[in-house]
């Protein structure tokens, strides 16, 4: 009965009860308790953020699973990250980075971090992404930091070769990998990470010459070939009339489009799925008319990571965030005044959007918004670390909890 009661509490409370006695600690750390907790909270929300550079643009917290009273950015310790930038995120882990210096991978809420050394190679590398290996319950077993050393398009414009450096949490060493892509491109925008796979997209410059596509690769496979996935409903003739966004929701890659077409304001949403032949394809989930004055000024920011019925749009004209419940077709303006668990960095959002839409390539070839989505996992498993590598435990989660004012605890 005690276990059944504990499993219904948020992780913030459960972490404290591990200190009650050895019996409770062993029970809470068991696989049975973890699976019970996840099953009971599978329909509960979890805190998540949209990050860009050194800033948190949007955060939704106060969730049932973790029970955190503060924005996720408040759990990023300056003693570790300093002036580093948010570079990548996967399965509740985040990668902080600054050019030509050591990086850090960590779980911000548990305050566990690993220092990732600079690759021991004579060439300059840039961060491409972070991928994670999960068990059947979605628990992180390991991670890889992926850096790009060079991108070499073939002269006949038939394919591209990517020379990569990989750091594994299982070995603690850097290795090299050459990845071949049967598609010509000259530059990449920010990648997305999902289930060990990185999804890379072309920049607006490459879209001028060919249809849009995603390049995908599973970094826990033995393959050295990159998969190509064409984006749906791609038409360069009307790029001035639409905005696009790539994000993830409920374990799938999602593609969102706002489109002005023949006087209608349309919102379209696709999900990337596997068909009966085992190939990746796009399934359209929603195509609805929205009651906005001009949809061309509404930008897809993200989808709710645990509910693929909810889309978030940014209004360029009014500079506010709109939450769209698609099946109900209800629309709500989010702000700090009427949504106490939603934090919006208004000035940073405005600057990001102004900078994005001022570029000439955006005006000519369309905009593809991809922000770094940081989502807390459904369980508080410790950060995987290589053998004989010390973890930087800046402050335990319990310290944050015990230091909260009494009013917040209640």
């Amino acid at each position: 009965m005690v276990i059944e009661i504990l499993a219904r509490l948020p992780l913030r409370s459960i972490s404290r009860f591990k200190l009650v006695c050895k019996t409770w600690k062993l029970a809470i750390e068991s696989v049975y308790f973890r699976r019970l907790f996840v099953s009971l909270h599978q329909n509960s929300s979890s805190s998540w953020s949209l990050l860009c550079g050194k800033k948190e643009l949007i955060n939704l917290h106060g969730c049932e699973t973790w029970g955190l009273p503060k924005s996720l950015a408040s759990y990023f310790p300056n003693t570790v990250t300093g002036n580093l930038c948010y570079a990548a995120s996967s399965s509740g882990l985040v990668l902080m980075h600054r050019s030509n210096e050591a990086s850090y991978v960590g779980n911000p809420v548990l305050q566990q971090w690993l220092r990732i050394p600079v690759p021991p190679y004579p060439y300059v590398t840039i961060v491409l992404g972070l991928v994670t290996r999960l068990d059947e319950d979605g628990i992180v077993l390991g991670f890889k930091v992926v850096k790009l050393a060079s991108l070499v398009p073939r002269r006949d414009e038939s394919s591209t070769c990517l020379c990569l450096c990989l750091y594994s949490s299982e070995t603690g060493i850097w290795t090299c990998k050459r990845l071949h892509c049967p598609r010509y491109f000259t530059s990449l925008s920010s990648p997305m990470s999902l289930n060990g796979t990185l999804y890379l997209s072309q920049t607006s410059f490459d879209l001028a010459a060919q249809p849009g596509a995603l390049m995908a690769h599973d970094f826990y496979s033995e393959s050295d070939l990159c998969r190509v996935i064409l984006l749906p409903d791609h038409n360069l003739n009307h790029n001035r009339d639409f905005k696009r966004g790539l994000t993830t929701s409920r374990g799938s890659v999602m593609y969102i489009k706002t489109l002005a077409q023949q006087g209608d304001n349309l919102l379209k949403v696709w999900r990337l799925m596997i068909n009966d032949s085992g190939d990746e394809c796009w399934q359209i989930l929603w195509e609805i008319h929205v009651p906005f004055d001009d949809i061309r000024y509404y930008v897809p920011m993200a989808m709710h990571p645990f509910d693929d019925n909810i889309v978030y749009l940014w209004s360029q004209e009014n500079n506010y965030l709109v939450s769209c419940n698609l099946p109900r077709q209800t629309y709500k303006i989010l702000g700090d005044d009427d949504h106490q668990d939603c934090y919006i960095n208004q000035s940073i959002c405005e600057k990001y959007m102004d900078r994005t839409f001022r570029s000439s390539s955006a005006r000519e070839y369309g905009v593809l918004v991809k922000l770094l989505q940081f989502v807390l996992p459904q369980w508080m498993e410790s950060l995987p670390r290589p053998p004989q590598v010390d973890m930087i435990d800046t402050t335990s989660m319990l310290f944050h909890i015990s230091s909260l004012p009494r009013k917040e605890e209640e």
Side-chain angles (χ1 to χ4, degrees), residues 20-32:
V20 171
C21 63
K22 184 178 292 185
T23 301
W24 280 27
K25 182 178 186 296
L26 291 174
I28 290 172
E29 293 180 348
S30 68
V31 174
Y32 171 79

Side-chain angles (χ1 to χ4, degrees), residues 94-318:
V94 66
L95 170 64
M96 309 294 294
H97 173 74
R98 185 165 56 194
S99 298
N100 301 322
E101 295 188 13
S103 307
Y104 292 89
V105 172
N107 182 320
V109 179
L110 295 183
Q111 291 295 281
Q112 297 174 346
W113 296 87
L114 287 178
R115 182 181 181 274
I116 310 299
V118 177
Y121 305 118
Y123 37 78
V124 177
T125 58
I126 60 173
V127 171
L128 196 59
L130 174 71
V131 295
T132 47
R133 182 168 66 91
L134 309 178
D135 68 5
E136 59 183 7
D137 298 320
I139 303 302
V140 178
L141 300 178
F143 66 83
K144 290 183 180 182
V145 177
V146 184
K147 288 193 172 186
L148 177 66
S150 65
L151 187 154
V152 186
R154 289 180 61 91
R155 291 184 178 180
D156 61 3
E157 300 186 1
S158 62
S159 62
T160 307
C161 178
L162 291 81
C163 298
L164 307 173
C165 302
L166 307 179
Y167 178 89
S168 172
S169 65
E170 298 175 2
T171 62
I173 61 173
W174 286 96
T175 57
C176 294
K177 182 180 180 69
R178 189 180 295 268
L179 190 62
H180 299 277
C181 179
R183 188 174 183 84
Y184 176 83
F185 57 92
T186 60
S187 56
L188 295 169
S189 62
S190 301
M192 294 185 301
S193 177
L194 191 65
N195 302 328
T197 297
L198 277 188
Y199 294 88
L200 311 167
S201 61
Q202 301 156 289
T203 59
S204 296
F205 179 79
D206 284 315
L207 291 178
Q210 53 188 331
L214 287 180
M215 282 67 72
H217 182 71
D218 182 356
F219 283 89
Y220 285 95
S221 70
E222 298 297 326
S223 172
D224 60 357
L225 184 64
C226 193
R227 309 190 306 274
V228 176
I229 308 164
L230 295 180
L231 294 176
D233 197 30
H234 188 81
N235 185 348
L236 288 173
N237 294 328
H238 63 177
N239 271 337
R240 294 176 182 271
D241 297 326
F242 74 77
K243 306 290 188 297
R244 303 170 295 151
L246 274 168
T247 186
T248 59
S249 179
R250 297 188 64 186
S252 298
V253 174
M254 313 295 289
Y255 181 58
I256 316 166
K257 193 173 188 178
T258 55
L259 173 66
Q261 192 172 48
Q262 297 179 351
D264 288 334
N265 293 327
L266 298 179
L267 173 61
K268 297 183 178 183
V269 179
W270 290 265
R271 175 174 58 201
L272 187 62
M273 58 176 295
I274 306 296
N275 61 23
D276 295 337
S277 302
D279 299 322
E280 291 166 306
C281 64
W282 295 99
Q283 174 193 28
I284 187 161
L285 298 180
W286 300 99
E287 181 175 349
I288 62 176
H289 302 271
V290 290
F292 302 147
D293 292 336
D294 194 338
I295 194 65
R296 292 177 298 177
Y297 296 102
Y298 286 84
V299 187
M301 295 281 279
M303 295 192 72
H304 196 290
F306 300 100
D307 188 345
D308 56 12
N309 290 323
I310 298 178
V311 174
Y312 297 93
L313 305 177
W314 180 263
S315 171
Q316 287 181 267
E317 288 188 314
N318 302 303

